[in-house]
Amino acid sequence: MIPPALAQRAQRLRDERVAFACATVVRVQRPASVRPGDTAIVLGDGTVEGFVGGVCAEESVRLHGLRVLETGEPLLLKLLPDAPGNGEEERVEDGAVVSHNPCLSGGSLEILLDPCLPAPRLVVVGDAPVARALRDLAPRVGFDVVVVAPGGSTPISGDDAALVVASHGRDEQASLSTALTEGVAFVGLVASRTRGERVRSALALPDPLRTRLRTPAGLDIGARTPEEIALSILAEIVQERTRARG
């Protein structure tokens, strides 16, 4: 069981949208200094907090913890006394990465490394019906939604997955310009094609940035209702994120 102090630390990291990997001992062959259920967290800078075997396991846990943060995929790490070591290549065995346990005691460990990544953030500007539909639907697709009133301010970062403006013409340009300048991956405007092109032309930005504006936002699926339009927008965001990863 994860110690209360480490559980609180992990929750604070989640609240602050900081990525980390959770390392949990799932199997031990004696002699070993850990027990099943012992837990640590690995931060993006390589810091290991908690205990999953001390110096005998820490370097391998750090290395593979950083790898799962990169891939976003969990990994089972087996540390065996007779596994490759001293510069030899690790091996993959039954879907697990097998590495050398340098402990003189000679015990074996199996450690599950699970990435805890913040949900991609979707900033929705406006309170139009499409904005409300996005607010309701996006969390079901796995997005962390931040709703901003037209003219309101919120920190916009290039780490945001997307920003969509659905404010029926109120205070659009400032939010769009900020998101495009900050490098937000997907910037969309809910508008007709004609009005969207006029808004694009009015943005005081270089042409390469203006061309990144998606308007009308959403895939062409014949959407008519606010909920269908919201679905088409989320589908386009997911499509672009998949392309970027691929």
Side-chain angles (χ1 to χ4, degrees), residues 67-86:
R67 287 182 180 175
V68 301
L69 287 177
E70 290 180 358
T71 64
E73 298 292 335
L75 177 149
L76 181 62
L77 173 65
K78 292 184 177 181
L79 298 178
L80 309 178
D82 59 349
N86 299 322

Side-chain angles (χ1 to χ4, degrees), residues 56-107:
C56 294
E58 190 167 292
E59 282 306 312
S60 292
V61 168
R62 176 182 293 108
L63 172 63
H64 291 284
L66 294 175
R67 287 182 180 175
V68 301
L69 287 177
E70 290 180 358
T71 64
E73 298 292 335
L75 177 149
L76 181 62
L77 173 65
K78 292 184 177 181
L79 298 178
L80 309 178
D82 59 349
N86 299 322
E88 297 179 44
E89 290 294 325
E90 297 171 330
R91 66 176 185 261
V92 177
E93 183 180 282
D94 296 329
V97 172
V98 181
S99 188
H100 178 64
N101 183 358
C103 284
L104 297 178
S105 62

